[in-house]
Amino acid sequence: MVSHRIGSAVSLSYLDLIMFAANSSALRLQEIAADIKSISDYRIFPVILESILFALYTVLMIFYCLKYRQDRERVLAVFVVSICLFVMCATSWALDVWILSLELYRLVPGRLMNSGDLGDLPIGQAVDSLNGNLAFARDTCGAIVYVFCDYITLWRAYVIYGRPRWLKVVCISTFVFSCALYANDVALNFTASLSRPPSYATHLETFDHGAIVWGLSSTALATTAFAQVFSTVLIAREALIYRKELKTLLSPYRTSAGRHRLVAVLSV
């Protein structure tokens, strides 16, 4: 009887272990499925869309370079900034592809086989450990792209608007302020994604739920939005003024229906 009870207890313990292992495996598979879905939603589709847009951007840059060779009134500074902007975008795209390949060929297999540090760490820490440095480089390239976009947009508005002195001061002030904000954002915010982040970045990320870092990033993006909207408004205002002047100059020639249609086409 005693041996029978011992055998029953051992059998129950084995069954409990099997059930526990099955439940653990099921939970593990659910976590892995969630990780794969996250990679598919937030990595694969954005990289595909980014690749399409970058291909179109490459075609536009080739056309721009050909036009620049034929243009007699060349502006070397704008051309250099445009080339640097393209290089930064190309670097950012290449880093995104690299990060995606690491997650697909190293992170997912490591989580499936539960091997190494990638299988033991939580998903967030595993991602930072795997591609934190690459993410920092990509985010830095993105910040430089934003700064270059601000410069090009403000310069275009300044030239089209007639190069007034007050607009020059506004453009320079906005550009310098944007550079300072993005530099601080890179130093204080983006460094937290490094595989070995500095202590101050970790402290700022946890202090007050990251309110300081969030405010800094939001202010930097708001500066870029202001530069884009401000430049667009100035260019649109100048275009409307030109359209009104064109209509005024061509109004005496509206003597027939055909000329009226021609003037309408030219005005648009």
Side-chain angles (χ1 to χ4, degrees):
M1 292 292 294
V2 174
S3 60
H4 179 70
R5 290 179 179 178
I6 294 175
S8 299
V10 171
S11 300
L12 289 174
S13 62
Y14 277 124
L15 289 175
D16 292 338
L17 288 175
I18 293 173
M19 292 296 295
F20 177 76
N23 293 332
S24 300
S25 300
L27 292 175
R28 184 70 178 176
L29 290 176
Q30 290 178 1
E31 293 178 357
I32 294 171
D35 297 342
I36 295 175
K37 186 178 184 302
S38 176
I39 293 174
S40 176
D41 293 339
Y42 299 103
R43 289 287 190 270
I44 296 178
F45 177 73
V47 169
I48 293 174
L49 181 60
E50 183 183 9
S51 301
I52 296 173
L53 295 177
F54 182 71
L56 296 176
Y57 183 34
T58 303
V59 173
L60 291 176
M61 281 302 300
I62 293 173
F63 178 75
Y64 173 67
C65 292
L66 294 176
K67 292 290 291 182
Y68 179 79
R69 292 183 58 185
Q70 301 173 358
D71 191 4
R72 296 180 179 179
E73 298 180 357
R74 301 176 181 178
V75 182
L76 182 60
V78 176
F79 179 74
V80 171
V81 171
S82 300
I83 294 298
C84 293
L85 179 61
F86 177 76
V87 171
M88 289 294 103
C89 290
T91 305
S92 179
W93 170 76
L95 289 173
D96 278 332
V97 174
W98 192 356
I99 290 172
L100 177 61
S101 64
L102 287 177
E103 292 183 353
L104 290 178
Y105 294 106
R106 290 189 58 186
L107 179 64
V108 174
R111 306 288 287 182
L112 284 172
M113 294 182 292
N114 196 17
S115 61
D117 295 336
L118 298 179
D120 299 332
L121 293 174
I123 182 62
Q125 296 181 11
V127 170
D128 291 339
S129 176
L130 180 64
N131 53 31
N133 296 334
L134 296 177
F136 171 76
R138 179 201 58 197
D139 294 337
T140 303
C141 291
I144 297 174
V145 167
Y146 283 136
V147 172
F148 281 160
C149 288
D150 293 345
Y151 171 78
I152 293 176
T153 305
L154 292 171
W155 179 87
R156 185 184 294 116
Y158 172 69
V159 172
I160 293 176
Y161 209 72
R163 303 174 187 265
R165 186 178 182 85
W166 67 269
L167 184 56
K168 182 179 181 180
V169 174
V170 172
C171 291
I172 293 177
S173 302
T174 304
F175 176 70
V176 172
F177 186 60
S178 176
C179 290
L181 285 175
Y182 279 110
N184 289 322
D185 197 21
V186 169
L188 301 178
N189 185 17
F190 295 164
T191 51
S193 62
L194 292 170
S195 57
R196 293 181 179 178
S199 58
Y200 69 86
T202 306
H203 177 69
L204 286 176
E205 191 177 22
T206 56
F207 179 75
D208 199 11
H209 303 286
I212 297 177
V213 175
W214 179 84
L216 180 62
S217 299
S218 300
T219 306
L221 294 175
T223 305
T224 296
F226 167 77
Q228 299 295 324
V229 173
F230 179 70
S231 303
T232 303
V233 170
L234 291 180
I235 294 173
R237 183 177 182 275
E238 195 67 17
L240 289 175
I241 293 174
Y242 176 76
R243 185 174 184 272
K244 290 180 180 179
E245 292 178 353
L246 184 63
K247 290 177 66 176
T248 303
L249 291 174
L250 296 177
S251 58
Y253 299 97
R254 296 181 179 178
T255 56
S256 63
R259 291 180 181 178
H260 181 75
R261 286 194 295 269
L262 178 60
V263 170
V265 172
L266 291 175
S267 299
V268 174

